[in-house]
Amino acid sequence: MKISVIGAGNVGASAALKLCEKGLAEDVVLVDIMEGIPQGKSLDISQAMPLNSSNTKIKGTNDYSEIRDSDIVIVTAGVPRKPGMTRDDLFNVNATITKSIAKEIKLHAPDSIIIVVTNPLDVMAYLMMKETGSDKSKIIGMAGVLDSARFRAFLAMETGAKVEDIEAMVLGGHGDSMVPLAEHIMISGKQVSGIISKKKLQQIIQRTKDGGAEIVKYLKTGSAYYAPAAAIVEMVESILKEDGKILPCSVYLEGEYGYSDIFIGVPVKLCREGIKEIVELNLTGEEKALLDRSAGEVKDTIKNFNI
Ligand code: APR
């Protein structure tokens, strides 16, 4: 198993460290355009491996040919948000970067599964598919796993329940219109309505939607990376172990949930070939209406940016 991580910044390096610590691949390659950064960070990570009893080898490089024959390529290269920016504000600069990386993946690792992390996420995943020409089953956007983890973390903070006893999912686009599913929350096997007031739940839903922005506001010079890296690794583990976990990911739809020619967050099962199955949940009327709105916004962005 060979995994390449493009972008040795906060998200990419954190993901590479976690992949190596968990020994999820024989080889990890960390690529960046900044000279010395991927090399230095990889050397640092490799020196942590004896302390993690992991024999994963990591190599840092500026040379894209090193990603050749990767099984999975994780794309985190790009500019993060600054306070007050929306993810869509990153489009122009990150689209140019994503296009150049797509060319390299097409050349060196055309059969790889590509996990797209760069924002604006759903649009970048769409662009990646268009530019690589890869099969739709091979392109997976990372957003829903992160947004759902944020949702569960806030529900745990409110109720004191253990995070592993909280089921909650966020679908839709990775932006202000994302859809935390209010009617699909289970806390210690019980419906949320008996545990949290409607008003409090609405506040938690809003905080989940603003989860990324809340962190950007604190950090000022960048965006979140620990939880994004953990979400990437959760997806990689599910791909490798084929554990049948239902994970919300941004994937290309052709009629599922009534949407076509769009990347948007829906529940999927992953496997070593990529996307194994798109799971169609029974959404309530309100949840579906919110998802329709979110899909409409992602479609508009794709159209506005002329991809
Ligand atoms: N090829 C490789 N690496 C690149 C390229 C490129 N063409 N262009 C930029 N990079 C690198 C930068 O040199 C930098 O090291 O991408 C890295 C980005 O790192 P950070 O600035 O720390 O950004 P990060 O917080 O990791 O976020 C990256 O992920 O979550 C999203 O919104 C976030 O779009 C952003 C991306």
Side-chain angles (χ1 to χ4, degrees):
M1 183 58 54
K2 174 172 174 179
I3 303 177
S4 292
V5 181
I6 316 295
N10 283 334
V11 177
S14 305
L17 171 64
K18 255 177 115 50
L19 291 171
C20 291
E21 281 176 346
K22 290 196 162 211
L24 289 176
E26 282 84 42
D27 292 290
V28 171
V29 176
L30 186 58
V31 187
D32 203 287
I33 44 165
M34 299 276 284
E35 267 179 44
I37 299 296
Q39 292 86 347
K41 291 192 180 182
S42 296
L43 195 55
D44 193 5
I45 290 172
S46 70
Q47 291 163 6
M49 290 310 103
L51 305 171
N52 287 282
S53 303
S54 168
N55 287 295
T56 295
K57 292 185 189 65
I58 178 162
K59 179 170 189 182
T61 180
N62 307 115
D63 177 1
Y64 271 98
S65 71
E66 297 278 1
I67 72 169
R68 91 181 71 81
D69 299 332
S70 296
D71 299 284
I72 302 175
V73 179
I74 300 161
V75 182
T76 75
V79 173
R81 282 193 281 174
K82 297 221 166 58
M85 286 175 96
T86 69
R87 293 181 180 93
D88 283 352
D89 292 337
L90 303 171
F91 179 81
N92 287 327
V93 54
N94 284 352
T96 307
I97 294 171
T98 298
K99 277 187 194 170
S100 73
I101 293 167
K103 256 195 213 114
E104 302 287 355
I105 296 175
K106 195 174 172 182
L107 188 62
H108 302 293
D111 300 325
S112 59
I113 295 172
I114 307 170
I115 299 181
V116 181
V117 180
T118 306
N119 277 309
L121 190 273
D122 308 283
V123 185
M124 288 303 140
Y126 189 95
L127 188 61
M128 183 63 80
M129 190 173 97
K130 210 177 147 196
E131 296 290 319
T132 54
S134 292
D135 189 81
K136 62 174 183 168
S137 64
K138 299 280 186 191
I139 314 259
I140 316 168
M142 188 292 289
V145 175
L146 167 63
D147 296 324
S148 302
R150 286 178 170 152
F151 197 18
R152 288 170 60 208
F154 294 140
L155 288 165
M157 286 176 205
E158 176 61 26
T159 59
K162 289 185 180 164
V163 286
E164 62 266 33
D165 292 336
I166 298 178
E167 288 172 40
M169 202 179 267
V170 179
L171 304 185
H174 186 50
D176 296 338
S177 68
M178 70 177 72
V179 187
L181 297 180
E183 310 289 335
H184 280 77
I185 304 168
M186 293 295 277
I187 300 179
S188 307
K190 297 194 187 83
Q191 301 270 351
V192 72
S193 49
I195 303 173
I196 302 177
S197 71
K198 235 179 168 169
K199 188 173 167 213
K200 190 73 217 176
L201 183 59
Q202 277 315 311
Q203 285 169 0
I204 291 173
I205 285 174
Q206 192 56 47
R207 192 172 179 198
T208 301
K209 291 182 178 186
D210 296 336
E214 187 178 356
I215 292 170
V216 171
K217 217 168 143 194
Y218 280 121
L219 298 182
K220 296 191 179 68
T221 55
S223 51
Y225 47 101
Y226 294 125
I232 293 168
V233 173
E234 171 87 351
M235 288 166 65
V236 169
E237 275 195 289
S238 199
I239 289 169
L240 298 184
K241 294 183 182 161
E242 303 193 312
D243 55 13
K245 272 191 189 169
I246 297 179
L247 301 177
C249 298
S250 183
V251 301
Y252 188 71
L253 299 184
E254 285 179 306
E256 299 88 348
Y257 285 89
Y259 314 127
S260 286
D261 194 28
I262 187 174
F263 269 81
I264 196 162
V266 292
V268 299
K269 289 185 186 172
L270 302 176
C271 66
R272 281 180 173 239
E273 276 71 51
I275 298 157
K276 186 177 178 199
E277 185 189 337
I278 295 173
V279 179
E280 299 227 25
L281 292 181
N282 274 327
L283 300 179
T284 64
E286 198 177 330
E287 288 169 341
K288 181 67 169 75
L290 290 170
L291 194 58
D292 285 348
R293 212 189 84 199
S294 186
E297 285 192 13
V298 175
K299 272 250 172 197
D300 285 348
T301 318
I302 291 171
K303 215 189 301 158
N304 290 344
F305 288 124
N306 218 358
I307 302 173

